[in-house]
C-alpha cells in the first residue's frame, strides 16, 4: 500500500469488525529500509488496551487499508485476551 504518510495523521483507526481503536498520532519509520514499521496511536480505546499511557504503537503489518479511516486486522482483541490470560497464571 502506497500513500503520502502525512495523509495518515489524525485518521481514526478501526478494526475490520468495526471497533474503534484510536487516532494516528505519528508513524514509526525504518529509515534504512524506507518503510513504515508502526502507527503511534493516541486517543486509544481503553476497552482494548490495558495501559496507563496516553497511547500505544501498533505494528504496521496489522493495517489492511487506509483512506478516510485506517482499517486494521482484529488482532487487538486477541492481544488483550492473551495479556489477561498471562496475568491470571
Amino acid at each position: 500500500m502506497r500513500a503520502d504518510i502525512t495523509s495518515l495523521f489524525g485518521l481514526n483507526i478501526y478494526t475490520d469488525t468495526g471497533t474503534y481503536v484510536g487516532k494516528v498520532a505519528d508513524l514509526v519509520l525504518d529509515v534504512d529500509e524506507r518503510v513504515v514499521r508502526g502507527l503511534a496511536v493516541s486517543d486509544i480505546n481503553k476497552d482494548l488496551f490495558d495501559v496507563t499511557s496516553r497511547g500505544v504503537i501498533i505494528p504496521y503489518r496489522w493495517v489492511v487499508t487506509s483512506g478516510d479511516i485506517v482499517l486494521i486486522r482484529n488482532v487487538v482483541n486477541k492481544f488483550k485476551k492473551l495479556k489477561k490470560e498471562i496475568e491470571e497464571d
Side-chain angles (χ1 to χ4, degrees):
M1 176 175 70
R2 295 184 134 243
D4 184 19
I5 60 172
T6 58
S7 68
L8 297 174
F9 294 118
L11 291 181
N12 291 320
I13 304 170
Y14 289 88
T15 66
D16 55 3
T17 58
T19 304
Y20 177 76
V21 176
K23 286 187 181 286
V24 178
D26 208 349
L27 300 174
V28 178
L29 302 174
D30 183 337
V31 180
D32 295 330
E33 296 289 325
R34 302 167 110 191
V35 295
V36 177
R37 292 287 179 204
L39 298 177
V41 183
S42 65
D43 189 30
I44 59 173
N45 182 345
K46 298 291 185 179
D47 293 334
L48 295 180
F49 298 99
D50 293 327
V51 294
T52 57
S53 63
R54 293 185 298 174
V56 296
I57 296 177
I58 59 172
Y60 193 72
R61 68 179 178 272
W62 291 0
V63 174
V64 175
T65 190
S66 67
D68 293 336
I69 63 168
V70 175
L71 195 64
I72 65 170
R73 288 189 218 126
N74 194 26
V75 294
V76 177
N77 291 334
K78 294 176 186 174
F79 172 75
K80 183 178 178 188
K81 184 183 278 186
L82 178 63
K83 183 178 176 182
K84 283 184 179 179
E85 290 173 0
I86 291 171
E87 289 174 354
E88 290 173 359
D89 290 339

